[in-house]
Amino acid sequence: MIVGSVAMMFVAARERDKPAPRVHVRAPERPWLSREAADQIVGAGGTIGPLFAGIELGGSAPTPADRARIAAFARAHDVEIRFEIEHHELTAIRFAVTFGGCCGYEGADGLAARLGRTQLRCECMCGDRVSGMWFNNWALVTEDGTYMRGRVEVNRVELRWEAAATLDDLLERAVAMVGAERGHARSLAGDRWSSTETSWWTPSDARVEVPFVGAPRDGRPVGFDLTFDRGHVAGVGLELEALDSDARTPFEAALRKRWGKPRIDDAGEHWTRFEHGRPIVATLDFLGLTIRVDRNANG
């Protein structure tokens, strides 16, 4: 009996000497971007929100006071906002937010749904429109003529606003880009540059995104397809989604306005114009619109 009591006392003493189990305190998750805060950043239809009141794309760079105000808002709501400035002119506004936690992708998808995120759409044999998967990269032009570029990557949403380009703007940019040194062209493009794999239907070595939406039913970003010769841009192509007769009309009008009277082949598909010795060929066919500017008359 005495031996048993001593043993129990020994075990109790050992239990008292054991270190207390470590308590793992889970760090609180950062709150998601609230709807009220999102409404300040993004307006209806993907427009620039009221947070940027008084700041105009294509206008003067934001004042120090506006920069300080918007930076304070970004810190308070744990988002990223920055401006692209060229020659003291505001060319683009960028926004990004990351939704934390186990289900951050739900927050990202929810915000993207409010921003005009597009779906792959096709038509079945019976003529009905069928919706498919969501695009993770999409673009749209808002009612006020602003180009909005959206991207979703798991739990992160990124947006960019800039002035939307017209077809005339694209022709001008394509002509100006031909002959540029590859490294210089890539530096100017920044993250709008992406590498591509050359194929028989897209003979390009790189693509530069342009602020233009190709067709009403397809909101994917459009880009210049570039080919190179001895380290310089030799050709610039712009390929859009297939155009029906109604969608083709404004493109034909813009080409005539820009080129005057181009050479048109018998089928009416190939329009050729020479500028500074460079042939510019626009092809309007069942595949859509393709514009190529070549460095030499021989292509």
mmCIF file of all heavy atoms in Angstrom, residues 184-232:
data_model
loop_
_atom_site.group_PDB
_atom_site.id
_atom_site.type_symbol
_atom_site.label_atom_id
_atom_site.label_comp_id
_atom_site.label_asym_id
_atom_site.label_seq_id
_atom_site.Cartn_x
_atom_site.Cartn_y
_atom_site.Cartn_z
ATOM 1 N N HIS A 184 15.001 46.934 -78.111
ATOM 2 C CA HIS A 184 14.334 48.214 -77.875
ATOM 3 C C HIS A 184 12.823 48.035 -77.906
ATOM 4 O O HIS A 184 12.098 48.582 -77.053
ATOM 5 C CB HIS A 184 14.775 49.224 -78.929
ATOM 6 C CG HIS A 184 14.161 50.585 -78.768
ATOM 7 N ND1 HIS A 184 14.398 51.387 -77.665
ATOM 8 C CD2 HIS A 184 13.295 51.277 -79.566
ATOM 9 C CE1 HIS A 184 13.720 52.522 -77.790
ATOM 10 N NE2 HIS A 184 13.043 52.480 -78.930
ATOM 11 N N ALA A 185 12.324 47.265 -78.887
ATOM 12 C CA ALA A 185 10.881 47.021 -78.983
ATOM 13 C C ALA A 185 10.373 46.296 -77.744
ATOM 14 O O ALA A 185 9.297 46.623 -77.215
ATOM 15 C CB ALA A 185 10.579 46.211 -80.237
ATOM 16 N N ARG A 186 11.156 45.351 -77.252
ATOM 17 C CA ARG A 186 10.738 44.597 -76.062
ATOM 18 C C ARG A 186 10.736 45.501 -74.832
ATOM 19 O O ARG A 186 9.837 45.409 -73.986
ATOM 20 C CB ARG A 186 11.656 43.404 -75.848
ATOM 21 C CG ARG A 186 11.271 42.577 -74.645
ATOM 22 C CD ARG A 186 11.947 41.231 -74.642
ATOM 23 N NE ARG A 186 11.392 40.376 -73.597
ATOM 24 C CZ ARG A 186 11.620 39.079 -73.503
ATOM 25 N NH1 ARG A 186 12.374 38.474 -74.413
ATOM 26 N NH2 ARG A 186 11.088 38.364 -72.534
ATOM 27 N N SER A 187 11.733 46.351 -74.729
ATOM 28 C CA SER A 187 11.808 47.269 -73.586
ATOM 29 C C SER A 187 10.606 48.208 -73.555
ATOM 30 O O SER A 187 10.012 48.446 -72.499
ATOM 31 C CB SER A 187 13.108 48.065 -73.647
ATOM 32 O OG SER A 187 13.169 49.013 -72.604
ATOM 33 N N LEU A 188 10.226 48.742 -74.713
ATOM 34 C CA LEU A 188 9.086 49.649 -74.778
ATOM 35 C C LEU A 188 7.775 48.930 -74.454
ATOM 36 O O LEU A 188 6.874 49.510 -73.858
ATOM 37 C CB LEU A 188 8.993 50.282 -76.174
ATOM 38 C CG LEU A 188 10.085 51.282 -76.552
ATOM 39 C CD1 LEU A 188 9.893 51.747 -77.989
ATOM 40 C CD2 LEU A 188 10.088 52.485 -75.605
ATOM 41 N N ALA A 189 7.671 47.658 -74.837
ATOM 42 C CA ALA A 189 6.425 46.912 -74.619
ATOM 43 C C ALA A 189 6.225 46.514 -73.164
ATOM 44 O O ALA A 189 5.082 46.378 -72.702
ATOM 45 C CB ALA A 189 6.421 45.670 -75.503
ATOM 46 N N GLY A 190 7.305 46.323 -72.404
ATOM 47 C CA GLY A 190 7.161 45.919 -71.003
ATOM 48 C C GLY A 190 6.451 44.583 -70.880
ATOM 49 O O GLY A 190 6.726 43.637 -71.630
ATOM 50 N N ASP A 191 5.486 44.494 -69.954
ATOM 51 C CA ASP A 191 4.792 43.228 -69.752
ATOM 52 C C ASP A 191 3.697 42.981 -70.786
ATOM 53 O O ASP A 191 2.961 42.000 -70.709
ATOM 54 C CB ASP A 191 4.210 43.137 -68.334
ATOM 55 C CG ASP A 191 3.144 44.185 -68.055
ATOM 56 O OD1 ASP A 191 2.829 44.996 -68.956
ATOM 57 O OD2 ASP A 191 2.617 44.211 -66.925
ATOM 58 N N ARG A 192 3.593 43.854 -71.774
ATOM 59 C CA ARG A 192 2.669 43.605 -72.889
ATOM 60 C C ARG A 192 3.314 42.655 -73.916
ATOM 61 O O ARG A 192 2.673 42.263 -74.884
ATOM 62 C CB ARG A 192 2.294 44.930 -73.568
ATOM 63 C CG ARG A 192 1.485 45.875 -72.677
ATOM 64 C CD ARG A 192 1.384 47.252 -73.320
ATOM 65 N NE ARG A 192 0.567 48.180 -72.562
ATOM 66 C CZ ARG A 192 0.976 48.869 -71.509
ATOM 67 N NH1 ARG A 192 2.219 48.708 -71.073
ATOM 68 N NH2 ARG A 192 0.173 49.706 -70.880
ATOM 69 N N TRP A 193 4.571 42.322 -73.701
ATOM 70 C CA TRP A 193 5.329 41.452 -74.607
ATOM 71 C C TRP A 193 5.194 40.005 -74.165
ATOM 72 O O TRP A 193 5.280 39.696 -72.980
ATOM 73 C CB TRP A 193 6.800 41.865 -74.578
ATOM 74 C CG TRP A 193 7.744 41.049 -75.404
ATOM 75 C CD1 TRP A 193 8.204 39.793 -75.147
ATOM 76 C CD2 TRP A 193 8.368 41.450 -76.622
ATOM 77 N NE1 TRP A 193 9.075 39.384 -76.119
ATOM 78 C CE2 TRP A 193 9.195 40.389 -77.039
ATOM 79 C CE3 TRP A 193 8.316 42.610 -77.401
ATOM 80 C CZ2 TRP A 193 9.958 40.450 -78.205
ATOM 81 C CZ3 TRP A 193 9.076 42.678 -78.556
ATOM 82 C CH2 TRP A 193 9.879 41.605 -78.951
ATOM 83 N N SER A 194 5.001 39.087 -75.100
ATOM 84 C CA SER A 194 5.012 37.663 -74.785
ATOM 85 C C SER A 194 5.610 36.904 -75.955
ATOM 86 O O SER A 194 5.489 37.319 -77.115
ATOM 87 C CB SER A 194 3.599 37.144 -74.487
ATOM 88 O OG SER A 194 2.746 37.326 -75.609
ATOM 89 N N SER A 195 6.280 35.813 -75.655
ATOM 90 C CA SER A 195 6.867 34.982 -76.704
ATOM 91 C C SER A 195 5.794 34.080 -77.287
ATOM 92 O O SER A 195 4.844 33.685 -76.613
ATOM 93 C CB SER A 195 8.003 34.131 -76.135
ATOM 94 O OG SER A 195 9.041 34.959 -75.628
ATOM 95 N N THR A 196 5.943 33.753 -78.562
ATOM 96 C CA THR A 196 4.993 32.857 -79.229
ATOM 97 C C THR A 196 5.775 31.795 -79.983
ATOM 98 O O THR A 196 6.959 31.933 -80.249
ATOM 99 C CB THR A 196 4.092 33.613 -80.225
ATOM 100 O OG1 THR A 196 4.926 34.214 -81.232
ATOM 101 C CG2 THR A 196 3.296 34.696 -79.538
ATOM 102 N N GLU A 197 5.083 30.735 -80.330
ATOM 103 C CA GLU A 197 5.687 29.677 -81.134
ATOM 104 C C GLU A 197 5.226 29.845 -82.577
ATOM 105 O O GLU A 197 4.035 29.919 -82.855
ATOM 106 C CB GLU A 197 5.272 28.295 -80.609
ATOM 107 C CG GLU A 197 5.805 27.979 -79.224
ATOM 108 C CD GLU A 197 5.442 26.582 -78.781
ATOM 109 O OE1 GLU A 197 4.838 25.851 -79.594
ATOM 110 O OE2 GLU A 197 5.762 26.224 -77.636
ATOM 111 N N THR A 198 6.183 29.928 -83.473
ATOM 112 C CA THR A 198 5.851 30.104 -84.879
ATOM 113 C C THR A 198 5.095 28.883 -85.398
ATOM 114 O O THR A 198 5.460 27.744 -85.144
ATOM 115 C CB THR A 198 7.129 30.308 -85.716
ATOM 116 O OG1 THR A 198 7.791 31.475 -85.236
ATOM 117 C CG2 THR A 198 6.799 30.489 -87.182
ATOM 118 N N SER A 199 4.014 29.127 -86.118
ATOM 119 C CA SER A 199 3.227 28.059 -86.722
ATOM 120 C C SER A 199 2.765 28.527 -88.095
ATOM 121 O O SER A 199 2.879 29.699 -88.439
ATOM 122 C CB SER A 199 2.022 27.712 -85.837
ATOM 123 O OG SER A 199 1.183 28.843 -85.687
ATOM 124 N N TRP A 200 2.218 27.627 -88.867
ATOM 125 C CA TRP A 200 1.827 27.999 -90.230
ATOM 126 C C TRP A 200 0.690 29.007 -90.235
ATOM 127 O O TRP A 200 0.565 29.807 -91.156
ATOM 128 C CB TRP A 200 1.446 26.757 -91.032
ATOM 129 C CG TRP A 200 0.184 26.074 -90.549
ATOM 130 C CD1 TRP A 200 0.096 25.070 -89.633
ATOM 131 C CD2 TRP A 200 -1.154 26.341 -90.973
ATOM 132 N NE1 TRP A 200 -1.209 24.706 -89.433
ATOM 133 C CE2 TRP A 200 -1.996 25.460 -90.252
ATOM 134 C CE3 TRP A 200 -1.740 27.235 -91.869
ATOM 135 C CZ2 TRP A 200 -3.386 25.461 -90.423
ATOM 136 C CZ3 TRP A 200 -3.114 27.226 -92.031
ATOM 137 C CH2 TRP A 200 -3.920 26.347 -91.318
ATOM 138 N N TRP A 201 -0.141 29.006 -89.171
ATOM 139 C CA TRP A 201 -1.248 29.964 -89.158
ATOM 140 C C TRP A 201 -0.890 31.257 -88.415
ATOM 141 O O TRP A 201 -1.546 32.270 -88.592
ATOM 142 C CB TRP A 201 -2.494 29.329 -88.547
ATOM 143 C CG TRP A 201 -2.381 29.003 -87.090
ATOM 144 C CD1 TRP A 201 -2.678 29.816 -86.040
ATOM 145 C CD2 TRP A 201 -1.937 27.774 -86.509
ATOM 146 N NE1 TRP A 201 -2.440 29.186 -84.852
ATOM 147 C CE2 TRP A 201 -2.003 27.929 -85.105
ATOM 148 C CE3 TRP A 201 -1.513 26.558 -87.040
ATOM 149 C CZ2 TRP A 201 -1.628 26.903 -84.238
ATOM 150 C CZ3 TRP A 201 -1.156 25.548 -86.168
ATOM 151 C CH2 TRP A 201 -1.211 25.725 -84.797
ATOM 152 N N THR A 202 0.144 31.240 -87.599
ATOM 153 C CA THR A 202 0.596 32.454 -86.908
ATOM 154 C C THR A 202 2.113 32.532 -87.012
ATOM 155 O O THR A 202 2.835 32.119 -86.107
ATOM 156 C CB THR A 202 0.172 32.435 -85.424
ATOM 157 O OG1 THR A 202 -1.223 32.204 -85.317
ATOM 158 C CG2 THR A 202 0.502 33.783 -84.766
ATOM 159 N N PRO A 203 2.623 33.048 -88.133
ATOM 160 C CA PRO A 203 4.076 33.116 -88.312
ATOM 161 C C PRO A 203 4.679 34.276 -87.528
ATOM 162 O O PRO A 203 4.946 35.345 -88.063
ATOM 163 C CB PRO A 203 4.214 33.332 -89.830
ATOM 164 C CG PRO A 203 2.975 34.080 -90.197
ATOM 165 C CD PRO A 203 1.899 33.584 -89.276
ATOM 166 N N SER A 204 4.873 34.083 -86.229
ATOM 167 C CA SER A 204 5.403 35.165 -85.408
ATOM 168 C C SER A 204 6.389 34.627 -84.384
ATOM 169 O O SER A 204 6.359 33.451 -84.035
ATOM 170 C CB SER A 204 4.267 35.909 -84.699
ATOM 171 O OG SER A 204 3.633 35.075 -83.749
ATOM 172 N N ASP A 205 7.256 35.513 -83.926
ATOM 173 C CA ASP A 205 8.245 35.161 -82.914
ATOM 174 C C ASP A 205 7.912 35.774 -81.556
ATOM 175 O O ASP A 205 8.442 35.364 -80.538
ATOM 176 C CB ASP A 205 9.632 35.641 -83.356
ATOM 177 C CG ASP A 205 10.038 35.049 -84.704
ATOM 178 O OD1 ASP A 205 9.963 33.824 -84.842
ATOM 179 O OD2 ASP A 205 10.403 35.821 -85.610
ATOM 180 N N ALA A 206 7.072 36.788 -81.555
ATOM 181 C CA ALA A 206 6.679 37.450 -80.318
ATOM 182 C C ALA A 206 5.351 38.161 -80.545
ATOM 183 O O ALA A 206 4.939 38.397 -81.688
ATOM 184 C CB ALA A 206 7.740 38.457 -79.880
ATOM 185 N N ARG A 207 4.700 38.481 -79.457
ATOM 186 C CA ARG A 207 3.424 39.207 -79.546
ATOM 187 C C ARG A 207 3.458 40.370 -78.576
ATOM 188 O O ARG A 207 3.938 40.254 -77.450
ATOM 189 C CB ARG A 207 2.248 38.287 -79.220
ATOM 190 C CG ARG A 207 0.930 39.017 -79.044
ATOM 191 C CD ARG A 207 -0.253 38.086 -79.049
ATOM 192 N NE ARG A 207 -0.494 37.570 -80.389
ATOM 193 C CZ ARG A 207 -1.656 37.017 -80.772
ATOM 194 N NH1 ARG A 207 -2.641 36.906 -79.903
ATOM 195 N NH2 ARG A 207 -1.799 36.577 -81.994
ATOM 196 N N VAL A 208 2.935 41.500 -79.023
ATOM 197 C CA VAL A 208 2.813 42.691 -78.193
ATOM 198 C C VAL A 208 1.328 43.039 -78.097
ATOM 199 O O VAL A 208 0.683 43.310 -79.107
ATOM 200 C CB VAL A 208 3.600 43.883 -78.781
ATOM 201 C CG1 VAL A 208 3.373 45.132 -77.929
ATOM 202 C CG2 VAL A 208 5.083 43.562 -78.842
ATOM 203 N N GLU A 209 0.807 43.000 -76.881
ATOM 204 C CA GLU A 209 -0.609 43.319 -76.691
ATOM 205 C C GLU A 209 -0.876 44.782 -77.047
ATOM 206 O O GLU A 209 -0.070 45.659 -76.750
ATOM 207 C CB GLU A 209 -1.004 43.066 -75.237
ATOM 208 C CG GLU A 209 -2.480 43.322 -74.950
ATOM 209 C CD GLU A 209 -2.765 43.389 -73.472
ATOM 210 O OE1 GLU A 209 -2.005 42.769 -72.694
ATOM 211 O OE2 GLU A 209 -3.735 44.065 -73.089
ATOM 212 N N VAL A 210 -2.021 45.023 -77.683
ATOM 213 C CA VAL A 210 -2.429 46.379 -78.031
ATOM 214 C C VAL A 210 -3.810 46.643 -77.431
ATOM 215 O O VAL A 210 -4.606 45.719 -77.269
ATOM 216 C CB VAL A 210 -2.454 46.593 -79.558
ATOM 217 C CG1 VAL A 210 -1.045 46.561 -80.125
ATOM 218 C CG2 VAL A 210 -3.324 45.556 -80.258
ATOM 219 N N PRO A 211 -4.105 47.903 -77.079
ATOM 220 C CA PRO A 211 -5.384 48.213 -76.421
ATOM 221 C C PRO A 211 -6.552 48.276 -77.401
ATOM 222 O O PRO A 211 -7.108 49.328 -77.699
ATOM 223 C CB PRO A 211 -5.106 49.585 -75.781
ATOM 224 C CG PRO A 211 -4.115 50.216 -76.688
ATOM 225 C CD PRO A 211 -3.238 49.091 -77.168
ATOM 226 N N PHE A 212 -6.924 47.115 -77.905
ATOM 227 C CA PHE A 212 -7.957 47.027 -78.926
ATOM 228 C C PHE A 212 -8.725 45.734 -78.721
ATOM 229 O O PHE A 212 -8.116 44.687 -78.459
ATOM 230 C CB PHE A 212 -7.307 47.051 -80.315
ATOM 231 C CG PHE A 212 -8.269 47.128 -81.470
ATOM 232 C CD1 PHE A 212 -8.804 48.339 -81.865
ATOM 233 C CD2 PHE A 212 -8.629 45.986 -82.157
ATOM 234 C CE1 PHE A 212 -9.678 48.416 -82.937
ATOM 235 C CE2 PHE A 212 -9.505 46.045 -83.229
ATOM 236 C CZ PHE A 212 -10.024 47.272 -83.613
ATOM 237 N N VAL A 213 -10.047 45.774 -78.835
ATOM 238 C CA VAL A 213 -10.869 44.571 -78.704
ATOM 239 C C VAL A 213 -11.287 44.148 -80.100
ATOM 240 O O VAL A 213 -11.859 44.936 -80.855
ATOM 241 C CB VAL A 213 -12.086 44.813 -77.804
ATOM 242 C CG1 VAL A 213 -12.990 43.586 -77.791
ATOM 243 C CG2 VAL A 213 -11.627 45.123 -76.378
ATOM 244 N N GLY A 214 -10.986 42.888 -80.436
ATOM 245 C CA GLY A 214 -11.135 42.449 -81.806
ATOM 246 C C GLY A 214 -12.537 42.258 -82.320
ATOM 247 O O GLY A 214 -12.850 42.644 -83.439
ATOM 248 N N ALA A 215 -13.402 41.654 -81.565
ATOM 249 C CA ALA A 215 -14.750 41.376 -82.037
ATOM 250 C C ALA A 215 -15.694 41.375 -80.853
ATOM 251 O O ALA A 215 -15.305 41.032 -79.738
ATOM 252 C CB ALA A 215 -14.791 40.025 -82.763
ATOM 253 N N PRO A 216 -16.958 41.738 -81.052
ATOM 254 C CA PRO A 216 -17.897 41.847 -79.935
ATOM 255 C C PRO A 216 -18.050 40.573 -79.115
ATOM 256 O O PRO A 216 -18.239 40.621 -77.917
ATOM 257 C CB PRO A 216 -19.210 42.217 -80.639
ATOM 258 C CG PRO A 216 -18.800 42.843 -81.922
ATOM 259 C CD PRO A 216 -17.555 42.133 -82.331
ATOM 260 N N ARG A 217 -17.953 39.409 -79.752
ATOM 261 C CA ARG A 217 -18.216 38.179 -79.000
ATOM 262 C C ARG A 217 -16.967 37.581 -78.380
ATOM 263 O O ARG A 217 -17.004 36.550 -77.741
ATOM 264 C CB ARG A 217 -18.884 37.150 -79.912
ATOM 265 C CG ARG A 217 -17.991 36.632 -81.027
ATOM 266 C CD ARG A 217 -18.726 35.572 -81.830
ATOM 267 N NE ARG A 217 -17.894 35.043 -82.897
ATOM 268 C CZ ARG A 217 -18.291 34.060 -83.697
ATOM 269 N NH1 ARG A 217 -19.477 33.519 -83.544
ATOM 270 N NH2 ARG A 217 -17.487 33.629 -84.650
ATOM 271 N N ASP A 218 -15.832 38.181 -78.654
ATOM 272 C CA ASP A 218 -14.573 37.640 -78.136
ATOM 273 C C ASP A 218 -13.812 38.748 -77.431
ATOM 274 O O ASP A 218 -13.303 39.650 -78.073
ATOM 275 C CB ASP A 218 -13.750 37.073 -79.293
ATOM 276 C CG ASP A 218 -12.461 36.420 -78.811
ATOM 277 O OD1 ASP A 218 -12.197 36.464 -77.593
ATOM 278 O OD2 ASP A 218 -11.734 35.872 -79.637
ATOM 279 N N GLY A 219 -13.737 38.674 -76.089
ATOM 280 C CA GLY A 219 -13.081 39.716 -75.330
ATOM 281 C C GLY A 219 -11.626 39.445 -75.025
ATOM 282 O O GLY A 219 -11.053 40.083 -74.161
ATOM 283 N N ARG A 220 -11.005 38.482 -75.728
ATOM 284 C CA ARG A 220 -9.597 38.201 -75.452
ATOM 285 C C ARG A 220 -8.716 39.342 -75.962
ATOM 286 O O ARG A 220 -9.022 39.958 -76.978
ATOM 287 C CB ARG A 220 -9.188 36.886 -76.117
ATOM 288 C CG ARG A 220 -9.750 35.650 -75.436
ATOM 289 C CD ARG A 220 -9.426 34.396 -76.222
ATOM 290 N NE ARG A 220 -10.083 34.404 -77.525
ATOM 291 C CZ ARG A 220 -9.946 33.433 -78.425
ATOM 292 N NH1 ARG A 220 -9.152 32.417 -78.170
ATOM 293 N NH2 ARG A 220 -10.588 33.484 -79.580
ATOM 294 N N PRO A 221 -7.614 39.621 -75.270
ATOM 295 C CA PRO A 221 -6.717 40.688 -75.714
ATOM 296 C C PRO A 221 -6.167 40.430 -77.114
ATOM 297 O O PRO A 221 -5.880 39.300 -77.493
ATOM 298 C CB PRO A 221 -5.605 40.670 -74.671
ATOM 299 C CG PRO A 221 -6.237 40.073 -73.453
ATOM 300 C CD PRO A 221 -7.201 39.049 -73.977
ATOM 301 N N VAL A 222 -6.020 41.494 -77.874
ATOM 302 C CA VAL A 222 -5.496 41.447 -79.232
ATOM 303 C C VAL A 222 -4.035 41.865 -79.189
ATOM 304 O O VAL A 222 -3.631 42.659 -78.330
ATOM 305 C CB VAL A 222 -6.309 42.388 -80.143
ATOM 306 C CG1 VAL A 222 -5.664 42.549 -81.513
ATOM 307 C CG2 VAL A 222 -7.745 41.865 -80.282
ATOM 308 N N GLY A 223 -3.233 41.359 -80.117
ATOM 309 C CA GLY A 223 -1.824 41.741 -80.116
ATOM 310 C C GLY A 223 -1.232 41.781 -81.507
ATOM 311 O O GLY A 223 -1.775 41.210 -82.455
ATOM 312 N N PHE A 224 -0.101 42.472 -81.620
ATOM 313 C CA PHE A 224 0.701 42.449 -82.835
ATOM 314 C C PHE A 224 1.552 41.187 -82.822
ATOM 315 O O PHE A 224 2.217 40.883 -81.836
ATOM 316 C CB PHE A 224 1.647 43.656 -82.890
ATOM 317 C CG PHE A 224 0.998 44.961 -83.248
ATOM 318 C CD1 PHE A 224 1.476 46.146 -82.709
ATOM 319 C CD2 PHE A 224 -0.056 45.024 -84.138
ATOM 320 C CE1 PHE A 224 0.909 47.369 -83.045
ATOM 321 C CE2 PHE A 224 -0.639 46.228 -84.486
ATOM 322 C CZ PHE A 224 -0.158 47.404 -83.931
ATOM 323 N N ASP A 225 1.549 40.452 -83.925
ATOM 324 C CA ASP A 225 2.444 39.308 -84.083
ATOM 325 C C ASP A 225 3.677 39.789 -84.828
ATOM 326 O O ASP A 225 3.574 40.294 -85.958
ATOM 327 C CB ASP A 225 1.751 38.180 -84.850
ATOM 328 C CG ASP A 225 0.607 37.573 -84.059
ATOM 329 O OD1 ASP A 225 0.828 37.250 -82.881
ATOM 330 O OD2 ASP A 225 -0.502 37.440 -84.609
ATOM 331 N N LEU A 226 4.844 39.640 -84.209
ATOM 332 C CA LEU A 226 6.079 40.182 -84.766
ATOM 333 C C LEU A 226 6.961 39.084 -85.346
ATOM 334 O O LEU A 226 7.083 38.004 -84.777
ATOM 335 C CB LEU A 226 6.874 40.918 -83.685
ATOM 336 C CG LEU A 226 6.145 41.975 -82.857
ATOM 337 C CD1 LEU A 226 7.114 42.631 -81.887
ATOM 338 C CD2 LEU A 226 5.483 43.026 -83.744
ATOM 339 N N THR A 227 7.577 39.387 -86.500
ATOM 340 C CA THR A 227 8.623 38.534 -87.055
ATOM 341 C C THR A 227 9.900 39.369 -87.118
ATOM 342 O O THR A 227 9.846 40.602 -87.213
ATOM 343 C CB THR A 227 8.257 38.021 -88.459
ATOM 344 O OG1 THR A 227 7.933 39.131 -89.306
ATOM 345 C CG2 THR A 227 7.060 37.088 -88.389
ATOM 346 N N PHE A 228 11.052 38.691 -87.059
ATOM 347 C CA PHE A 228 12.339 39.401 -86.967
ATOM 348 C C PHE A 228 13.295 38.953 -88.064
ATOM 349 O O PHE A 228 13.237 37.823 -88.542
ATOM 350 C CB PHE A 228 12.974 39.159 -85.598
ATOM 351 C CG PHE A 228 12.144 39.651 -84.452
ATOM 352 C CD1 PHE A 228 11.234 38.808 -83.834
ATOM 353 C CD2 PHE A 228 12.248 40.955 -84.000
ATOM 354 C CE1 PHE A 228 10.445 39.258 -82.780
ATOM 355 C CE2 PHE A 228 11.469 41.415 -82.955
ATOM 356 C CZ PHE A 228 10.571 40.565 -82.348
ATOM 357 N N ASP A 229 14.158 39.862 -88.427
ATOM 358 C CA ASP A 229 15.210 39.586 -89.400
ATOM 359 C C ASP A 229 16.468 40.306 -88.928
ATOM 360 O O ASP A 229 16.481 41.537 -88.805
ATOM 361 C CB ASP A 229 14.781 40.086 -90.784
ATOM 362 C CG ASP A 229 15.867 39.869 -91.839
ATOM 363 O OD1 ASP A 229 16.672 38.925 -91.668
ATOM 364 O OD2 ASP A 229 15.912 40.636 -92.820
ATOM 365 N N ARG A 230 17.510 39.507 -88.620
ATOM 366 C CA ARG A 230 18.784 40.055 -88.154
ATOM 367 C C ARG A 230 18.593 41.010 -86.969
ATOM 368 O O ARG A 230 19.190 42.084 -86.902
ATOM 369 C CB ARG A 230 19.532 40.749 -89.304
ATOM 370 C CG ARG A 230 19.956 39.811 -90.409
ATOM 371 C CD ARG A 230 20.825 40.498 -91.432
ATOM 372 N NE ARG A 230 20.076 41.490 -92.179
ATOM 373 C CZ ARG A 230 19.338 41.222 -93.261
ATOM 374 N NH1 ARG A 230 19.280 39.976 -93.718
ATOM 375 N NH2 ARG A 230 18.709 42.174 -93.896
ATOM 376 N N GLY A 231 17.746 40.592 -86.021
ATOM 377 C CA GLY A 231 17.587 41.341 -84.777
ATOM 378 C C GLY A 231 16.680 42.545 -84.855
ATOM 379 O O GLY A 231 16.584 43.313 -83.883
ATOM 380 N N HIS A 232 15.994 42.740 -85.971
ATOM 381 C CA HIS A 232 15.082 43.872 -86.122
ATOM 382 C C HIS A 232 13.700 43.375 -86.532
ATOM 383 O O HIS A 232 13.554 42.307 -87.128
ATOM 384 C CB HIS A 232 15.608 44.858 -87.168
ATOM 385 C CG HIS A 232 16.820 45.612 -86.725
ATOM 386 N ND1 HIS A 232 18.082 45.036 -86.726
ATOM 387 C CD2 HIS A 232 16.979 46.883 -86.264
ATOM 388 C CE1 HIS A 232 18.974 45.916 -86.288
ATOM 389 N NE2 HIS A 232 18.327 47.051 -86.001
#
